[in-house]
Amino acid sequence: MTEQSTETASTPDEDGSDPAVAHCTETSWATRFFERVCRARGLLVGAVAAALAVAVVLGAMATHAANGGTDRDRVAAVIEAGAVCTSLPDPRYEVSCGTTAFGDVRFDCGSGRPGKCPTTTAVTLRNVSRTPVMVTMVSGTREGDRRFSPASELTPGRVVILRLHPFEKYLFDILVRSVTRGVGAVRVEAVD
């Protein structure tokens, strides 16, 4: 028996080209065209997304500058008498007054002294709130050396003097934490 072919023979068009081959060529051209369009659209979408991201970042920077920066940027440059630091209402968390309220506690530049500011050796704090607070001094002999003093409980109206040990050079920070639920506040009475 002879096998019958299931393929149909194509007859050449009037111009002599085979329609089956022409169809494959058109499909390949169309496929390539759409692939290029999709690739270009992908690049366009990527470029638009990148431009939007840059616009958002620049807008945030402009808003940041127009508003005077973040709260951390608005912190006083140096610790001064009268500065107030508040605790969080939850007694599980302490607040770094050096970064949120007082400014740089390492140097005593608040008295308007010309030239280089002397290092801070002591800070007097008063609890000006109705909530008792725990106050901790962070000090050290050099940058990177951090020692935490035992926490001092400061009841409302009471005063504490945080003083460096003779061998220490820097008072880096003051930490404040509420003893009970409620917002506590300490005010700098004096800087030495």
Side-chain angles (χ1 to χ4, degrees), residues 78-82 102 104-113 116-125 137 139 159-165 168-172 174 187-192:
V78 294
I79 187 170
E80 294 181 297
F102 292 164
D104 190 348
V105 296
R106 292 175 301 172
F107 300 101
D108 180 12
C109 299
S111 58
R113 298 179 180 141
K116 186 177 178 187
C117 302
T119 57
T120 301
T121 58
V123 176
T124 305
L125 299 173
M137 177 178 69
S139 57
V159 174
V160 67
I161 299 174
L162 303 176
R163 191 177 309 278
L164 287 178
H165 292 101
E168 292 178 323
K169 186 174 180 183
Y170 294 112
L171 175 55
F172 290 112
I174 296 169
R187 181 178 63 213
V188 176
E189 297 292 310
V191 182
D192 300 315

